[in-house]
Amino acid sequence: MTNQPAGRADATRRPTLAHVAELAGVSLKTASRVLGGEPYVSAAKRERVFAAAQLLGYQRNAAASLLARGQLFDAVGLITSDLANPFYPALAKGLEDELRTGNLLLTVANSNESPEVEWSLARNLADRQTKALIVASAMPDHTVYRELQDRGMPVIFVDRPAQQLDADAVVFDNVGGGRAAAVHLLSAGHRRIAFIGDYDWLPTHRDRLAGMAGALEAAGVTDWRRWLRTGAHDVAAARARAAELLDTQDPPTAFFAGNNRALLGVVEELVHRAPDPLPAVIGFDNVEWARVLGVTVVADDPEEMGRQAGRLALARLADRDRPIETVVLPTTLLSYGSGERRAPVPA
């Protein structure tokens, strides 16, 4: 009969985690944490577990281990605010491409702009030991996310920056984009410039409006609020606000739509009415159909936002103590025709 080292598994049987724990002289739970890549295990115990696993030829069954912990795979969670908006699938693609370099998968959830749903999703993902969380948040205050950070879970905010919380974020230069749109329309002679924006509480809306308002005030256009309409979070709401403005005694000669859904609503109403002269139009977000229809846009890059968020998540997983980072991505005004229509000459 052949003698075996103490703790060595029978050569005819597949070595188990229990064999590894026994040979390393640690508990089953400690062996599982080490081989599962979890923190807070001493270096000495970690070395003993790895040495025992190598000696025994132990191969971790990743799927079984994750399932036992209530997790289906090594994943990063993305919580979007409105999955019907084409902005978020593009963001998710860039994020997934970047996470794949770290052998992580992406799981996507949708809050429907509900803070309660968002927090429920975030807690659920954390309880399933999701590696990190990327959030396009519907909350005005993100203090509650400190609970997840304290549990060792990186939280990265996208499109909308963190409020009352130190956290990594990726945002666009929304103030600069709003300013560029207003300056472009002013240069074409427009003074009655309508802004159709999103919910008043959204940081993206406030920043785009601030950029536009600053440019208008600097040009001496102080009555711009007459043509301001907000709450246009979907196409129907934006179209209704455009119709309301077109029915006023002094309708706008130009429209700036604050997001892609608002832009579609404005275009639908203008196509329906076909006013003469046709107002100038600039939208925010680089929608694919804008170039085809000749609609000028302030372009952003949601795929790049996703890639940058993935980079921040991987960096934070590798170093929990790295400085907080906010990435501000540029916007670019793309002239396709609609934003270049000149203001009508007064009779």
Side-chain angles (χ1 to χ4, degrees):
M1 186 174 186
T2 304
N3 293 328
Q4 290 182 192
R8 178 102 184 198
D10 189 329
T12 62
R13 292 188 297 151
R14 181 187 178 107
T16 67
L17 185 62
H19 295 136
V20 174
E22 181 182 0
L23 183 58
V26 299
S27 68
L28 188 63
K29 182 177 180 180
T30 297
S32 176
R33 291 178 63 188
V34 170
L35 296 176
E38 297 183 31
Y40 312 120
V41 178
S42 70
K45 288 182 179 179
R46 192 178 298 276
E47 290 178 6
R48 295 207 308 270
V49 170
F50 282 134
Q54 185 175 13
L55 179 63
L56 294 172
Y58 173 79
Q59 293 184 341
R60 175 172 171 256
N61 185 333
S65 174
L66 291 167
L67 187 60
R69 284 155 39 200
Q71 183 181 351
L72 296 180
F73 39 68
D74 285 337
V76 167
L78 168 64
I79 300 178
T80 74
S81 58
D82 182 5
L83 202 52
N85 189 325
F87 177 91
Y88 291 110
L91 187 153
K93 181 185 182 302
L95 175 58
E96 186 174 41
D97 288 346
E98 187 67 23
L99 293 176
R100 195 175 290 121
T101 67
N103 296 315
L104 293 170
L105 299 179
L106 178 66
T107 183
V108 180
N110 185 42
S111 73
N112 284 321
E113 296 288 10
S114 166
E116 294 77 19
V117 171
E118 176 189 324
W119 183 234
S120 176
L121 290 169
R123 292 284 300 272
N124 184 269
L125 288 166
D127 289 344
R128 294 173 66 81
Q129 299 188 18
T130 300
K131 296 294 185 182
L133 191 61
I134 315 295
V135 187
S137 181
M139 293 183 179
D141 184 336
H142 298 122
T143 306
V144 292
Y145 278 98
R146 192 169 293 121
E147 174 187 325
L148 305 189
Q149 291 178 327
D150 291 343
R151 291 166 60 176
M153 184 179 194
V155 182
I156 291 88
F157 290 84
V158 290
D159 195 38
R160 307 163 184 180
Q163 306 290 327
Q164 288 79 54
L165 180 75
D166 290 330
D168 297 317
V170 188
V171 297
F172 291 118
D173 179 12
N174 291 299
V175 173
R179 182 187 307 114
V183 168
H184 197 70
L185 293 171
L186 287 165
S187 68
H190 295 281
R191 293 298 181 268
R192 301 202 305 269
I193 301 173
F195 180 80
I196 296 186
D198 211 320
Y199 296 136
D200 288 318
W201 58 266
L202 277 174
T204 49
H205 162 78
R206 293 200 301 266
D207 286 348
R208 292 166 193 177
L209 177 58
M212 173 185 168
L216 293 179
E217 294 279 354
V221 181
T222 58
D223 60 345
W224 55 268
R225 291 178 183 81
R226 293 173 54 193
W227 299 284
L228 170 65
R229 299 294 184 274
T230 63
H233 187 67
D234 55 42
V235 175
R239 182 171 179 178
R241 284 155 179 75
E244 176 189 339
L245 285 164
L246 290 169
D247 286 335
T248 60
Q249 185 175 358
D250 293 314
T253 63
F255 284 86
F256 176 32
N259 58 49
N260 57 39
R261 312 309 281 164
L263 177 59
L264 184 55
V266 170
V267 170
E268 283 189 356
E269 186 59 23
L270 291 178
V271 169
H272 172 70
R273 293 198 182 207
D276 185 18
L278 191 64
V281 178
I282 295 180
F284 205 106
D285 290 332
N286 192 16
V287 290
E288 291 181 342
W289 52 265
R291 183 175 65 256
V292 177
L293 298 182
V295 179
T296 298
V297 293
V298 176
D300 50 25
D301 190 344
E303 281 194 36
E304 180 61 20
M305 174 170 279
R307 284 189 289 270
Q308 290 293 331
R311 180 186 65 80
L312 289 177
L314 293 172
R316 183 64 58 188
L317 286 168
D319 180 5
R320 308 299 175 112
D321 297 323
R322 70 190 303 270
I324 296 298
E325 185 176 352
T326 297
V327 178
V328 181
L329 298 175
T331 56
T332 305
L333 193 142
L334 301 178
S335 300
Y336 292 137
S338 69
E340 291 65 58
R341 297 188 191 113
R342 301 289 304 180
V345 178

